[in-house]
């Protein structure tokens, strides 16, 4: 069983920055580095939406248009952790942010779809004030 724990959320003013972390357990170091990771967010009354994803090797990254150029996803396989650096935050970025990972190693599949992922964290709240 894989457990994902997000941290780093909080309240920030528009234009500010936050760095989210997602620590994975239940997979060995070699296993963690075999799985893609994704970040999603969900605002009140809205569906969960894709934010960013990173391939198992870290060599490929993918972003939603609304965060491209502002957010950066990265991973440290030695620490079983994936990060989301968020800069130039806007009030519309306010949401609960979740990290996720699939059961199947390698590949990216339908990384923009929540249904492609099997394990989810509990989420961390990000609030951006205007």
């Amino acid at each position: 069983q894989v457990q994902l724990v997000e941290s780093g959320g909080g309240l920030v003013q528009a234009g500010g920055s936050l760095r989210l972390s997602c620590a994975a357990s239940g997979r060995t170091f070699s296993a963690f580095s075999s799985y893609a990771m994704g970040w999603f967010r969900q605002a009140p009354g809205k569906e969960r939406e894709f934010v960013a994803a990173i391939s198992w090797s870290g060599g490929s990254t993918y972003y939603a248009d609304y965060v491209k150029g502002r957010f950066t996803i990265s991973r440290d396989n030695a620490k079983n952790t994936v990060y989301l650096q968020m800069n130039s935050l806007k009030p519309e970025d306010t949401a609960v942010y979740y990290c996720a990972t699939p059961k199947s190693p390698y590949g990216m599949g339908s990384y923009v779809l929540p249904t492609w992922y099997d394990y989810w964290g509990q989420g961390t709240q990000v609030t951006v004030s205007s």
Side-chain angles (χ1 to χ4, degrees), residues 59-121:
S60 297
T61 56
Y62 308 87
Y63 298 94
D65 287 343
Y66 35 81
V67 305
K68 199 171 293 183
R70 300 188 297 122
F71 290 12
T72 302
I73 188 171
S74 62
R75 64 190 299 160
D76 185 339
N77 288 337
K79 296 182 178 180
N80 280 19
T81 300
V82 64
Y83 304 97
L84 186 68
Q85 177 67 44
M86 305 186 296
N87 299 329
S88 302
L89 283 162
K90 304 176 181 179
E92 51 263 43
D93 294 319
T94 295
V96 178
Y97 283 71
Y98 300 89
C99 66
T101 190
K103 277 184 181 178
S104 299
Y106 309 116
M108 288 304 295
S110 302
Y111 62 85
V112 299
L113 298 178
T115 52
W116 186 65
Y117 298 84
D118 298 290
Y119 302 106
W120 293 82

Side-chain angles (χ1 to χ4, degrees), residues 1 22 28 32-33 41 57-58 67 71-72 102 109:
Q1 188 70 15
C22 171
T28 62
F32 177 80
S33 61
R41 68 187 184 187
S57 66
V67 305
F71 290 12
T72 302

Side-chain angles (χ1 to χ4, degrees), residues 17-64:
S17 298
L18 283 174
R19 186 195 195 203
L20 305 185
S21 299
C22 171
S25 61
R27 281 175 175 166
T28 62
F29 158 70
S30 60
F32 177 80
S33 61
S34 301
Y35 294 83
M37 298 291 296
W39 284 98
F40 286 75
R41 68 187 184 187
Q42 188 166 17
K46 294 188 177 182
E47 293 187 352
R48 191 167 297 190
E49 63 180 10
F50 170 73
V51 174
I54 187 166
S55 64
W56 57 277
S57 66
S60 297
T61 56
Y62 308 87
Y63 298 94

